[in-house]
Amino acid sequence: MKAVFLDASTLGEDVSLDPIEAVTGPLTCHPRTAPEQVTERLQGFDTVLVNKVVLGRRHFEACPELKTIAVVATGLNNIDLEAARDHGIQVLNVTRYGRSTVAQHTMALILALATRLLDYHRDVRQGRWAQSDMFCLMDHPIMELEGKTLGIIGYGDLGQGLAERARAFGMNILLGCRPGQAPGEVDGYQRIPLDELLPQVDVLSLHCLLTDDTRNLIGAAELQKMKRTSLLVNTSRGGLVDEQALADALRDGTIGGAGFDVLTEEPPRNGNPLLAEDIPNLIVTPHSAWASLEARQRIVEITATNLERVLSE
């Protein structure tokens, strides 16, 4: 193999690429690659590694020697898969690398929202505790998770990891049907239609991919069906939720809070409805749920295994 990594800095400077180089040989690495640089940097390579760089038909037509694309992530929306098939290019991706870290981040958002952690921290920093006429503050309602119902939409590796951790907090688990998915029982949990799920959950967590069917899966109508105290968490993909509808719902108390690690535009250079400062009980993190060193190194190791399999075929 002769391999190039077009956006190596997306995995961080602290990961070791040695497992990949043990398969490919010396790896040409570019920290980042602008769209206008892609074709030039692909020249002479049969294997390309990317995270978020967009690859399409014009690149494949200009680089006939390209045979393998290794995406160092799960999502493939940055690759023109039809064009890759037309040019006989094999596309690889990485799954089952982030179960622990994403589930941990999701639980952290749920816990912070349920305990109003950031609100109480802000109150202390602003001197409100020091001015209190009793020993504590109780200005923000706290949700006790034990006995509450967690709804999970997308019961793959990440959804399963969250269910394991939520059970440790004594939560009841229900699964929601994605569009076109049949109700039934999975791992002892009931999977029910979304319209039936929404009124029952105290916390709703999204773990499904963004497709034409799941885009704006949760909009104004769905938010209206949820409890006024319920929490919505999205550590999956921006676009699963109508962000303006959610911002409005949080302002008017339609639901109790939300925690998001993903937005429709990343980074949000053009602003976003969820970045307004007047939205109560909302936590937004910068697509960092996947980013533990352990998970990023696991991506490297799985990518190396995928490439080794290609060589052996």
Side-chain angles (χ1 to χ4, degrees):
M1 282 184 176
K2 189 175 181 183
V4 60
F5 197 161
L6 293 184
D7 52 352
S9 65
T10 59
L11 286 186
E13 303 300 326
D14 51 349
V15 298
S16 170
L17 299 177
D18 290 350
I20 294 174
E21 292 194 300
V23 178
T24 65
L27 183 64
T28 299
C29 289
H30 301 284
R32 292 179 177 81
T33 296
E36 63 272 14
Q37 297 174 308
V38 172
T39 300
E40 177 187 356
R41 291 184 174 181
L42 286 176
Q43 297 293 329
F45 293 97
D46 56 62
T47 302
V48 58
L49 286 75
V50 296
N51 189 341
K52 301 303 180 193
V53 171
V54 175
L55 297 178
R57 189 174 298 275
R58 64 188 178 90
H59 303 119
F60 308 149
E61 291 174 348
C63 304
E65 65 274 27
L66 187 62
K67 301 302 179 188
T68 305
I69 300 170
V71 179
V72 293
T74 300
L76 295 171
N77 54 300
N78 56 318
I79 310 298
D80 185 334
L81 296 176
E82 182 180 353
R85 284 192 296 269
D86 291 345
H87 287 79
I89 298 172
Q90 187 169 7
V91 181
L92 315 171
N93 68 331
V94 178
T95 60
R96 297 183 177 275
Y97 70 87
R99 180 185 182 115
S100 294
T101 190
V102 174
Q104 173 180 305
H105 193 99
T106 305
M107 280 305 306
L109 289 174
I110 293 171
L111 288 165
L113 291 166
T115 59
R116 303 298 290 266
L117 189 68
L118 297 188
D119 292 314
Y120 281 116
H121 174 70
R122 182 197 62 225
D123 289 349
V124 171
R125 298 290 293 178
Q126 292 180 349
R128 292 176 185 167
W129 190 19
Q131 298 165 4
S132 176
D133 58 3
M134 63 176 185
F135 72 97
C136 69
L137 295 180
M138 295 185 291
D139 297 343
H140 311 288
I142 295 171
M143 176 192 293
E144 187 173 277
L145 294 181
E146 185 169 2
K148 299 298 190 299
T149 297
L150 168 66
I152 300 174
I153 303 178
Y155 189 67
D157 191 46
L158 303 181
Q160 292 167 29
L162 176 61
E164 291 174 358
R165 288 151 180 79
R167 284 202 310 271
F169 282 85
M171 299 190 77
N172 304 312
I173 311 295
L174 284 174
L175 308 180
C177 297
R178 300 193 309 273
Q181 194 171 43
E185 185 176 302
V186 184
D187 288 349
Y189 303 130
Q190 290 300 313
R191 176 181 279 148
I192 61 178
L194 185 60
D195 286 347
E196 296 179 22
L197 177 75
L198 293 175
Q200 299 186 52
V201 297
D202 299 288
V203 181
L204 179 65
S205 190
L206 306 180
H207 297 279
C208 49
L209 294 176
L210 179 64
T211 67
D212 289 340
D213 289 333
T214 61
R215 189 177 303 278
N216 289 333
L217 181 67
I218 306 298
E222 288 74 25
L223 292 165
Q224 287 288 343
K225 295 174 183 177
M226 297 173 69
K227 299 177 183 178
R228 294 184 69 84
T229 55
S230 62
L231 307 174
L232 172 62
V233 177
N234 184 9
T235 55
S236 185
R237 290 290 184 272
L240 293 174
V241 177
D242 181 329
E243 292 163 334
Q244 185 60 61
L246 175 60
D248 295 341
L250 290 168
R251 287 190 181 98
D252 64 24
T254 299
I255 66 170
F260 273 50
D261 187 53
V262 288
L263 296 176
T264 49
E265 181 191 31
E266 297 175 344
R269 302 192 192 282
N270 298 300
N272 187 285
L274 297 182
L275 298 181
E277 295 186 2
D278 65 332
I279 303 175
N281 207 24
L282 170 66
I283 301 173
V284 178
T285 53
H287 205 140
S288 55
W290 69 285
S292 69
L293 174 58
E294 294 87 347
R296 287 181 285 119
Q297 192 62 53
R298 208 172 291 127
I299 289 173
V300 171
E301 293 162 0
I302 296 171
T303 299
T305 299
N306 289 343
L307 291 171
E308 189 172 31
R309 186 177 68 250
V310 169
L311 275 179
S312 66
E313 290 175 349

